[in-house]
Amino acid sequence: MEVIKTLILTPEEIPVAAELLAQGRVVAFPTETVYGLGANALEPQAVEAIFKAKGRPQDNPLIVHASEESQVEAFVKDIPPEARRLMKQFWPGPLTLVLSKTDLVPAVVTAGLDTVAVRVPNHPVALELLRQTGFPLAAPSANVSGRPSPTRAEHVYADLEGKIPAILDGGETGWGVESTVLDCTVWPFRLLRPGGVTLEELRALVPVEYGKSPGEAEKTPRSPGMKYQHYAPMATVYLVTGKRAAAKILESSEPYMQKKEKVGVMTWNERAHLYPGLTVLSMGSEGDLQALAHNLFHLLREADLLGIKVLFIEGVSEDHLGLAIMNRLRKAANHREIKT
Ligand code: AMP
Ligand code: MG
């Protein structure tokens, strides 16, 4: 692939980013969840460039970002009243709704599906960029496919420098985990990916199913992206849950330590003292799921920079934001989970 110069733009330079997007180029931009790699969602060639830069499989559809609910009207149809209620309640915000698409949306955006995933992001830079371009932006996370999602401009730079023309730097993102994806074309609605808006919050308003429904095979996931490995650092990752996690981690780390391999552990501040000899990556103050979500992908990238070969991660409870966190951790661990 041709190597190009990657500009780092400040929020004052949003017009430069908008101009690049108008020319059919791709630009990375901050949202309240993670950094997205955006292109004009209505231009197939522009969208192709996203897949190329990320190395993203063509059968993994993209989320379309809009500046407001009214912009969404043109490219979705048959919006159920319950989905409207969710838009009113959670937009702008980290909730993506899968709805029936109109012909305006090119097949490359949706991987040929007749549905499209849409959301209005809650970030001043993203919203201003969407207003200035005037068209919706298809945008997956701005990382190389399979790597942890970027929560800082420098993460995007590390992955995509030389491959994209610009990164709009809006500082660290807020939530740190991607949006919740909810399929609104089935009833009850179905949670495809847990995220910033929690299952508990959704269920307070509408009936939502989550988990494998009877007969639903792994090989035909409703959300195509779910079948790919994600968020993986170079280290071999083990997710360890249960009351005896610390003892199990110490015991399991022995053989690696003997081989002089660097062993890391992701744990709460208050528990760091349990792991003498291991490289501790702090998840924050015990039980602070918001802080953990915010730091999660950064910590996975830190593990690589520190040269950690094996990384043990303490699991958290799957309530509220914990559901999204554990979903990402299981993928980072490639489902290597030790229950104690
Ligand atoms: P990312 O862009 O990396 O945040 O991933 C977007 C997620 O939304 C992936 O898991 C996709 O498979 C999912 N997604 C996007 N469009 C659709 C759709 N039309 N139907 C079901 N899932 C979708
Ligand atoms: Mg992604």
Side-chain angles (χ1 to χ4, degrees):
M1 202 196 293
E2 184 200 351
V3 177
I4 51 177
K5 175 148 178 61
T6 302
L7 300 172
I8 309 283
L9 304 173
T10 65
E12 289 68 47
E13 295 170 297
I14 290 175
V16 179
E19 177 56 28
L20 284 165
L21 290 164
Q23 290 166 7
R25 312 288 303 277
V26 298
V27 173
F29 65 96
T31 77
E32 82 281 32
T33 59
V34 301
Y35 274 77
L37 184 61
N40 184 346
L42 308 179
E43 280 296 331
Q45 280 188 344
V47 176
E48 296 276 0
I50 296 177
F51 285 92
K52 213 169 131 199
K54 279 189 58 119
R56 184 175 173 105
Q58 289 281 345
D59 63 348
N60 192 2
L62 307 178
I63 294 171
V64 175
H65 295 70
S67 56
E68 54 191 348
E69 190 181 324
S70 65
Q71 194 184 32
V72 168
E73 305 284 339
F75 52 89
V76 300
K77 56 185 182 192
D78 311 328
I79 304 176
E82 294 83 2
R84 286 265 184 221
R85 280 178 64 194
L86 296 177
M87 291 176 187
K88 299 268 178 290
Q89 180 74 25
F90 296 109
W91 281 2
L95 177 65
T96 296
L97 303 178
V98 172
L99 295 160
S100 298
K101 80 172 195 74
T102 66
D103 292 341
L104 255 188
V105 185
V108 59
V109 171
T110 65
L113 297 172
D114 54 11
T115 56
V116 62
V118 290
R119 83 176 188 103
V120 177
N122 189 13
H123 190 289
V125 174
L127 286 172
E128 184 53 31
L129 182 65
L130 283 161
R131 283 187 205 110
Q132 289 194 19
T133 55
F135 46 74
L137 294 174
S141 49
N143 50 286
V144 162
S145 234
R147 297 268 299 141
S149 297
T151 54
R152 303 177 180 193
E154 69 223 46
H155 299 159
V156 182
Y157 194 80
D159 275 17
L160 298 176
E161 189 254 345
K163 295 180 181 165
I164 61 173
I167 301 168
L168 247 179
D169 187 351
E172 288 182 34
T173 59
W175 285 92
V177 290
E178 303 85 343
S179 61
T180 304
V181 180
L182 187 70
D183 187 352
C184 301
T185 65
V186 290
W187 187 259
F189 290 170
R190 193 164 173 80
L191 184 67
L192 300 179
R193 175 175 77 183
V197 172
T198 66
L199 185 55
E200 290 87 343
E201 287 176 300
L202 292 173
R203 281 184 173 159
L205 290 181
V206 296
V208 175
E209 274 186 10
Y210 182 53
K212 230 174 272 173
S213 58
E216 191 180 323
E218 261 295 294
K219 56 185 188 301
T220 55
R222 290 199 65 95
S223 190
M226 296 196 298
K227 71 173 184 255
Y228 293 107
Q229 178 167 5
H230 268 89
Y231 318 119
M234 313 291 179
T236 305
V237 179
Y238 291 93
L239 179 61
V240 190
T241 57
K243 290 215 158 42
R244 297 192 62 257
K248 185 73 194 170
I249 290 172
L250 284 175
E251 177 196 316
S252 309
S253 60
E254 280 284 311
Y256 301 104
M257 306 280 270
Q258 273 169 18
K259 283 190 277 175
K260 300 263 181 286
E261 287 183 343
K262 199 163 187 180
V263 180
V265 59
M266 256 172 76
T267 184
W268 302 110
N269 285 344
E270 291 81 350
R271 294 171 56 83
H273 70 276
L274 297 173
Y275 300 102
L278 274 65
T279 303
V280 171
L281 294 165
S282 175
M283 307 200 301
S285 185
E286 188 153 13
D288 187 347
L289 294 175
Q290 205 121 13
L292 172 55
H294 179 84
N295 289 320
L296 185 64
F297 293 131
H298 180 66
L299 292 177
L300 293 176
R301 284 173 181 266
E302 277 291 299
D304 281 348
L305 296 177
L306 291 167
I308 289 169
K309 290 287 177 294
V310 184
L311 176 65
F312 294 95
I313 306 180
E314 287 187 356
V316 300
S317 88
E318 292 185 72
D319 308 322
H320 307 283
L321 207 46
L323 188 66
I325 291 170
M326 285 294 279
N327 169 274
R328 308 308 189 271
L329 290 180
R330 288 202 171 95
K331 289 182 180 181
N334 204 4
H335 300 280
R336 279 180 292 260
E337 192 167 338
I338 303 173
K339 295 185 177 136
T340 67

